[in-house]
Amino acid sequence: QVQVVESGGGLVQPGGSLRLSCEASASVFSHFHMGWYRWAPGKQREMVALISSSGTTNYSDSAKGRFTITRDNTKKTVFLQMNGLEVGDTAVYYCNALLGSMRYWGQGTQVTVSS
């Protein structure tokens, strides 16, 4: 069983920045594809950013140019740097670890963008 733990959420003003972290307890973390998703009230869960085991990244249209996903395999951690935050980015952000048919989710971290 892999444990996925997110951190770094909080309250930020529009235009501000946050850096989310996600640590996974996988012994072969470097083999996992990692991703950030978000879920806002009244909306469907949305993919925000993905990073493959080889480091290839993919972003939602809303995240492109503002968010950056990176990973540090030595720390078994993936990061989501979020700049230029908007009110519409308010959501619970979840980290996902995927390897083959095995998929693990964290408990989520709340990001609130408000003035």
Side-chain angles (χ1 to χ4, degrees):
Q1 185 73 10
V2 174
Q3 288 190 325
V4 178
V5 180
E6 303 99 333
S7 62
L11 173 64
V12 63
Q13 292 186 341
S17 299
L18 280 176
R19 188 193 195 203
L20 305 183
S21 299
C22 167
E23 185 172 355
S25 65
S27 59
V28 288
F29 175 82
S30 62
H31 294 184
F32 277 77
H33 306 302
M34 302 296 295
W36 287 97
Y37 296 74
R38 66 187 184 188
W39 205 342
K43 296 184 179 180
Q44 290 187 331
R45 186 174 61 193
E46 175 189 16
M47 184 278 287
V48 177
L50 304 173
I51 185 165
S52 73
S53 58
S54 63
T56 301
T57 58
N58 189 25
Y59 297 92
S60 66
D61 288 342
S62 62
K64 283 179 185 176
R66 299 188 299 132
F67 296 178
T68 303
I69 187 171
T70 57
R71 65 189 297 159
D72 185 338
N73 290 336
T74 63
K75 297 180 179 179
K76 299 183 179 181
T77 301
V78 62
F79 303 97
L80 184 67
Q81 178 67 43
M82 304 188 293
N83 299 326
L85 283 162
E86 303 168 352
V87 172
D89 294 318
T90 296
V92 179
Y93 284 69
Y94 295 89
C95 181
N96 174 260
L98 175 67
L99 179 62
S101 61
M102 298 182 292
R103 184 184 291 273
Y104 304 95
W105 292 93
Q107 81 290 349
T109 185
Q110 176 70 47
V111 171
T112 302
V113 185
S114 175
S115 55

